[in-house]
Amino acid sequence: MKRTSRDIRTAHRYEVLRQVIAASPASRQGLASATGLSLATVATLVGELLDLRMISEVGFEDSAGGRPRGLVAVNASGGALIGVDIAETYVHVELFDLALTVLARADEEMRPGESQPERVVGVVAAAIASVVARAGVAPDRVLGVGVSVPGQVDRDTGVAEYAPNLDWHDVPLLDLLAEHTPYPLHLDNPLRACVVAELWFGAARGHEDAVVVNLGTGVGAGLALGGGLHRGVSNSAGEWGHTTLVLNGRLCHCGNHGCVETYVGAPGIMQNLHELSPSSALLHPGNQTATIDALARAAAEHDPVALKTVQDTARYLGAGIADLINLLNPEVVVLSSWVASRLGEPLLDEVRRVVSRHALGRPLAATGIVLSPIATDPVCLGAATFALEGALRTVGQRQETVRGTAPARSRTAPPS
Amino acid sequence: MKRTSRDIRTAHRYEVLRQVIAASPASRQGLASATGLSLATVATLVGELLDLRMISEVGFEDSAGGRPRGLVAVNASGGALIGVDIAETYVHVELFDLALTVLARADEEMRPGESQPERVVGVVAAAIASVVARAGVAPDRVLGVGVSVPGQVDRDTGVAEYAPNLDWHDVPLLDLLAEHTPYPLHLDNPLRACVVAELWFGAARGHEDAVVVNLGTGVGAGLALGGGLHRGVSNSAGEWGHTTLVLNGRLCHCGNHGCVETYVGAPGIMQNLHELSPSSALLHPGNQTATIDALARAAAEHDPVALKTVQDTARYLGAGIADLINLLNPEVVVLSSWVASRLGEPLLDEVRRVVSRHALGRPLAATGIVLSPIATDPVCLGAATFALEGALRTVGQRQETVRGTAPARSRTAPPS
Ligand SMILES: [Zn+2]
Ligand SMILES: [Zn+2]
């Protein structure tokens, strides 16, 4: 499938806004050199973004010998974006201004057995209403809501096709949510949300090729290749958690044996701990969060069982990451999501050690492995940027419609 | 590392020439819609390629209601390109015209123990002289020579850093070769050569995301992502052969255990056969080519040992390919190189069966698995296109030099 001129134009518009958000204020000349686009193209796109009030003129900078250059900056109050992170053990909802600063947040725990779609939709809709009210934002200024659900999703139809850890199959999530919330809705998954968060604000900024390894209940590897998110042909790239690491190994819920996820996802880590010390006090059966928290605290205190569990986990994780480095030759591998942030440096150190034994010399020398530097929930942040991207695409569609081409394809709720 | 404007311009020039070669004759309007570039950009690039005599004006086509559109086509005799495929068991050298049609070919076998760099360089240099003479091409019309060596290579310095199956370490191959041959030289490896061959002329044509699985003595996965070759940050992407498939499995020459290559490379397949039937008459110890040929013939005659060997090989290969499909979500997976072409349909059928059991539903549904349709050596073809790309980059450098920017970085031999 070739990208159309419209796709390319949307990508360029997005790239310019991303640069303005990353480094305001900016001149058109600076944006042209940062994006590789021509000055004429940048000037046109800046004009569109000014018309949309997403950015504004904020003054001038001197240019050696030439006339002063106009500067633009993101217009933070020009709109609001909402990011929703539906995970196996929680729902997080955050409301952002256009500079992607959090204005309000709602966190809900989800206990096992509480993840029926209708129930989750109710929780999400209430949290959205709550953050809008608490941020004091007028509803007509909410440009969109990005929703992240683990597993395989269809962005065009808004259906969560397969979320094994939630036991969801073909859930028409956006249709259900549209009954309770009036804003344009955009569906994607946490792998891709985290990549975008790292590309805009985190450890992948300024890198062409990065891998964001997501360690939560499930496991995946979001890919930034050639400076942008790699979605694959049907938007399902990144399903690294179901890579065979141990032929005939542990049974995975996907039906295969020996998947990476069964060794380094939160339940897999619990099993690593259980195999090492079945009666360990660190083990909280049925409670992933409590167990990972206990492991993290004990590892910080040099508890030998905790350290050995981290080592065992890193042996699998490091072998898998070495494979990603050999295959993709990225500049940076980012460890993200809640399990990575809680196990932190002890896990990172062990992973680096294992990777340096397993990876080939040339790709290894070119790669750094780091923890995500994003302090808030990267999935909410990334989901909000998908909503922003959706809003920018809608602009393109309005323009294209005038010029008589194909109608809108992206899934949005009816206008409120 | 951001791409510079010069990189982008070279890529666009290359993309336009690729379209002309793929579908001559072409109008500027047709090239603009096929590449997604603006008509103005295409017109400029077409002008450059006309100046270089790489393409020529060949007439006009009617355009409904408008004035006739000028057509351009590749100028086949406007230059010659040479592709060199240095493999573990042979050296192939082919000379192409600018339409990438083979005009002359030289094949040399390499027996074990004959792969010392000086010896190989002598063979390659003689073969290059031979194809130039036999094609009757004037030496000043040879635009360049692309050389492919397995393993990790440094394109900028022309050094073959690590070719384990040849037992080469830091061989300054292009410097050695430049002593014997006067043409501009470009080094890369077979994974990337095969990707480019498939993108231009094979099963990846018109696809955004493709994986080319190379099955020879060594094994790798060349990647086409976003419509172009994915090199990675230090040009070593694709080292899929050293992916851990069996934790603590067979020892690999890379130092790890259980690498894909130890099960599906030619020596790995010989071991699969040996484990199944140690005294099989199909086994030609020390001779990969003879053994794979014998296996292919016997499988075609439904020999049960041969079929079981293919099945065992496909079990490993299919699991590994399913992992690639889950991770990258490509439109097509191409099985390439000599082992794949000899084992052919029986291997393909088994691989498809295994993949359909292992891959996740959504990426599986979007992917086809095929044998490479390229009848000649795809590595020579791809290496020749690297030489073409190098020639186009040189154009860019000359222009840039006039405008005062950075000097040439690509490795070329002194002018003849
Ligand atoms: Zn699995
Ligand atoms: Zn290996």
Side-chain angles (χ1 to χ4, degrees):
Chain A
M1 254 172 9
K2 291 300 284 184
R3 296 203 305 174
T4 64
S5 321
R6 192 179 71 193
D7 294 336
I8 291 168
R9 192 179 175 83
T10 297
H12 289 168
R13 191 183 294 119
Y14 192 55
E15 179 73 7
V16 167
L17 182 58
R18 174 177 151 185
Q19 282 296 330
V20 176
I21 291 175
S24 278
S27 67
R28 288 160 183 79
Q29 290 80 359
L31 291 170
S33 80
T35 57
L37 299 171
S38 74
L39 185 56
T41 301
V42 167
T44 304
L45 298 172
V46 163
E48 290 175 10
L49 294 169
L50 285 167
D51 289 347
L52 293 164
R53 294 183 48 233
M54 287 181 166
I55 63 175
S56 47
E57 306 266 13
V58 293
F60 295 89
E61 71 175 2
D62 286 339
S63 102
R67 40 172 207 172
R69 294 169 168 179
L71 293 172
V72 295
V74 66
N75 178 22
S77 61
L81 301 159
I82 294 173
V84 177
D85 175 10
I86 299 175
E88 292 82 355
T89 56
Y90 59 80
V91 169
H92 290 169
V93 176
E94 297 183 350
L95 185 144
F96 300 82
D97 66 18
L98 278 193
L100 276 305
T101 303
V102 178
L103 301 184
R105 169 182 299 141
D107 291 355
E108 308 288 341
E109 261 192 65
M110 285 218 298
R111 275 176 288 269
E114 293 187 351
S115 62
Q116 304 87 335
E118 296 73 16
R119 188 155 184 171
V120 170
V121 162
V123 169
V124 169
I128 289 173
S130 158
V131 293
V132 172
R134 280 189 288 130
V137 165
D140 65 356
R141 283 181 40 224
V142 176
L143 300 179
V145 179
V147 180
S148 163
V149 177
Q152 297 172 49
V153 302
D154 188 315
R155 290 201 304 158
D156 296 331
T157 60
V159 171
E161 291 189 340
Y162 178 53
N165 289 308
L166 291 166
D167 198 24
W168 285 10
H169 298 266
D170 292 319
V171 171
L173 187 67
L174 295 199
D175 282 344
L176 294 173
L177 203 47
E179 292 170 18
H180 297 85
T181 197
Y183 311 115
L185 298 168
H186 306 273
L187 182 65
D188 218 309
N189 88 356
L191 300 180
R192 287 179 286 276
C194 282
V195 170
V196 169
E198 296 296 336
L199 271 173
W200 284 53
F201 302 103
R205 248 175 91 166
H207 292 303
E208 282 286 287
D209 301 318
V211 176
V212 181
V213 172
N214 248 41
L215 300 174
T217 302
V219 166
L223 307 179
L225 301 173
L229 172 62
H230 175 71
R231 293 187 171 280
V233 60
S234 59
N235 193 41
S236 72
E239 291 292 349
W240 174 71
H242 302 285
T243 293
T244 306
L245 190 61
V246 184
L247 213 70
N248 304 317
R250 290 180 187 168
L251 179 64
C252 181
H253 52 67
C254 78
N256 287 320
H257 286 264
C259 293
V260 171
E261 183 167 307
T262 63
Y263 296 90
V264 308
I269 296 174
M270 289 173 74
Q271 189 169 342
N272 299 344
L273 171 57
H274 185 265
E275 288 180 1
L276 191 67
S277 172
S279 60
S280 169
L282 302 173
L283 204 54
H284 294 63
N287 192 330
Q288 300 173 26
T289 326
T291 306
I292 300 294
D293 279 343
L295 260 179
R297 276 193 306 270
E301 290 158 8
H302 307 287
D303 173 82
V305 168
L307 290 177
K308 186 67 169 62
T309 304
V310 170
Q311 265 175 22
D312 289 351
T313 302
R315 193 163 57 95
Y316 298 110
L317 182 57
I321 288 177
D323 294 344
L324 289 171
I325 290 171
N326 286 346
L327 180 66
L328 297 170
N329 188 204
E331 286 172 278
V332 65
V333 176
V334 187
L335 304 185
S336 178
S337 199
W338 66 272
V339 171
S341 80
R342 286 175 205 211
L343 295 181
E345 296 288 341
L347 180 67
L348 178 66
D349 291 345
E350 288 297 326
V351 165
R352 283 178 172 157
R353 210 185 320 271
V354 175
V355 168
S356 70
R357 279 204 310 271
H358 274 77
L360 296 172
R362 189 173 171 89
L364 179 66
T367 303
I369 307 176
V370 300
L371 294 170
S372 170
I374 297 172
T376 58
D377 181 340
V379 177
C380 285
L381 182 56
T385 64
F386 286 134
L388 179 55
E389 195 179 13
L392 291 174
R393 197 166 41 233
T394 312
V395 177
Q397 285 161 354
R398 276 202 296 263
Q399 295 184 337
E400 297 290 336
T401 306
V402 172
R403 285 165 23 209
T405 31
R409 209 177 63 117
S410 95
R411 169 80 182 59
T412 53
S416 57
Chain B
M1 253 174 11
K2 290 301 282 183
R3 296 203 305 173
T4 64
S5 321
R6 192 178 69 193
D7 294 336
I8 291 167
R9 191 176 176 85
T10 297
H12 289 168
R13 191 183 295 119
Y14 192 54
E15 178 74 8
V16 167
L17 182 57
R18 174 176 150 185
Q19 283 296 332
V20 177
I21 292 175
S24 277
S27 67
R28 289 161 183 77
Q29 290 80 0
L31 291 169
S33 81
T35 58
L37 299 171
S38 74
L39 185 56
T41 300
V42 168
T44 304
L45 298 173
V46 163
E48 290 174 10
L49 294 169
L50 286 168
D51 289 347
L52 291 164
R53 295 185 46 232
M54 286 180 166
I55 63 176
S56 46
E57 305 269 12
V58 293
F60 295 89
E61 70 176 2
D62 285 339
S63 103
R67 41 173 208 173
R69 294 170 168 180
L71 292 172
V72 295
V74 66
N75 178 22
S77 61
L81 301 159
I82 295 173
V84 177
D85 175 9
I86 299 175
E88 292 82 355
T89 55
Y90 58 80
V91 169
H92 291 169
V93 176
E94 296 183 350
L95 185 144
F96 301 83
D97 66 18
L98 279 193
L100 277 307
T101 303
V102 178
L103 300 185
R105 170 182 298 140
D107 291 354
E108 306 289 340
E109 261 191 66
M110 285 220 296
R111 276 175 287 270
E114 294 186 351
S115 63
Q116 304 88 334
E118 295 73 17
R119 188 155 184 170
V120 171
V121 163
V123 169
V124 169
I128 289 173
S130 158
V131 293
V132 172
R134 279 189 288 133
V137 165
D140 65 357
R141 283 183 37 226
V142 176
L143 300 179
V145 179
V147 179
S148 163
V149 177
Q152 298 172 49
V153 301
D154 189 314
R155 290 201 305 158
D156 295 332
T157 61
V159 171
E161 290 188 341
Y162 178 53
N165 289 310
L166 291 167
D167 197 25
W168 285 11
H169 298 266
D170 292 319
V171 171
L173 187 68
L174 294 199
D175 282 343
L176 294 173
L177 203 48
E179 292 171 17
H180 298 84
T181 197
Y183 311 115
L185 298 168
H186 306 273
L187 182 64
D188 218 310
N189 87 357
L191 300 180
R192 287 179 286 277
C194 283
V195 169
V196 170
E198 295 297 336
L199 271 173
W200 284 53
F201 302 102
R205 248 175 91 167
H207 292 303
E208 283 285 288
D209 301 319
V211 176
V212 181
V213 171
N214 247 41
L215 299 175
T217 302
V219 166
L223 307 178
L225 301 173
L229 173 61
H230 175 72
R231 293 187 170 280
V233 59
S234 58
N235 193 42
S236 73
E239 291 293 349
W240 174 71
H242 301 286
T243 295
T244 305
L245 189 61
V246 184
L247 213 70
N248 304 317
R250 291 181 187 167
L251 179 64
C252 181
H253 52 67
C254 79
N256 288 319
H257 286 264
C259 294
V260 171
E261 182 167 307
T262 63
Y263 297 91
V264 308
I269 296 173
M270 289 173 75
Q271 190 169 342
N272 299 343
L273 170 57
H274 185 264
E275 287 180 1
L276 191 67
S277 172
S279 59
S280 169
L282 303 173
L283 203 55
H284 295 62
N287 193 332
Q288 300 172 27
T289 327
T291 306
I292 299 295
D293 278 343
L295 260 179
R297 276 193 306 270
E301 290 157 10
H302 307 287
D303 173 84
V305 169
L307 290 176
K308 186 68 169 62
T309 304
V310 169
Q311 266 174 21
D312 288 351
T313 302
R315 193 163 56 97
Y316 297 110
L317 182 58
I321 288 176
D323 294 345
L324 289 171
I325 290 171
N326 286 346
L327 180 66
L328 297 169
N329 188 203
E331 285 170 279
V332 65
V333 176
V334 188
L335 304 186
S336 178
S337 200
W338 66 272
V339 172
S341 79
R342 286 174 204 212
L343 295 181
E345 296 289 340
L347 181 67
L348 178 66
D349 290 345
E350 287 297 325
V351 165
R352 284 179 172 157
R353 209 186 321 271
V354 175
V355 168
S356 70
R357 279 204 310 271
H358 274 76
L360 296 172
R362 190 172 170 89
L364 178 66
T367 304
I369 307 176
V370 300
L371 294 171
S372 170
I374 297 173
T376 59
D377 181 339
V379 177
C380 284
L381 182 56
T385 65
F386 287 134
L388 179 56
E389 194 178 14
L392 291 174
R393 196 165 45 235
T394 313
V395 178
Q397 285 161 356
R398 277 203 294 265
Q399 294 184 336
E400 297 290 334
T401 306
V402 173
R403 280 156 37 201
T405 30
R409 211 176 62 116
S410 94
R411 168 83 183 57
T412 54
S416 57

